[in-house]
Amino acid sequence: MAVTFYRVKEGEFSRLVETQSITKFIAQESEIDPLKFSLVGINPSQNIAYIVRHGRVDELRTWRLDTLGAFLKKLGVMSWEVQHT
């Protein structure tokens, strides 16, 4: 079954985490900017994935891994996968 991807802003992503609509998290390394990671959240039961985009432009938001980890920890997420390109 195909996974549906949605680009969402950081605030919407946080809301989805709070409502437990996202239960799996992946930090995916950027192909363009090494050691910068995009955040993907997955709802496995619905086959939906959400990726965080910038607020003003429709480009993927990237973080250094330590900054991304702090963001996820603030949301109560203690486990996530890291994928390098």
Side-chain angles (χ1 to χ4, degrees):
M1 185 182 221
V3 175
T4 304
F5 272 87
Y6 294 101
R7 291 177 177 235
V8 296
K9 296 178 187 175
E10 208 172 293
E12 176 68 6
F13 190 89
S14 296
R15 187 190 69 75
L16 290 164
V17 172
E18 289 171 6
T19 61
Q20 298 181 347
S21 296
I22 298 173
T23 57
K24 183 175 180 180
F25 304 88
I26 301 171
Q28 176 64 52
E29 187 176 22
S30 169
E31 292 180 0
I32 299 167
D33 201 1
L35 298 180
K36 294 278 188 143
F37 294 81
S38 295
L39 177 58
V40 179
I42 300 173
N43 179 328
S45 64
Q46 300 283 326
N47 283 329
I48 298 173
Y50 302 91
I51 192 160
V52 180
R53 70 175 184 90
H54 282 282
R56 295 180 186 233
V57 293
D58 192 23
E59 295 176 4
L60 297 183
R61 169 95 163 79
T62 58
W63 292 269
R64 290 186 346 220
L65 205 50
D66 59 335
T67 307
L68 179 56
F71 172 70
L72 288 170
K73 187 174 183 179
K74 182 179 78 171
L75 296 175
V77 176
M78 298 301 168
S79 177
W80 63 89
E81 295 179 25
V82 176
Q83 295 181 357
H84 292 277
T85 56

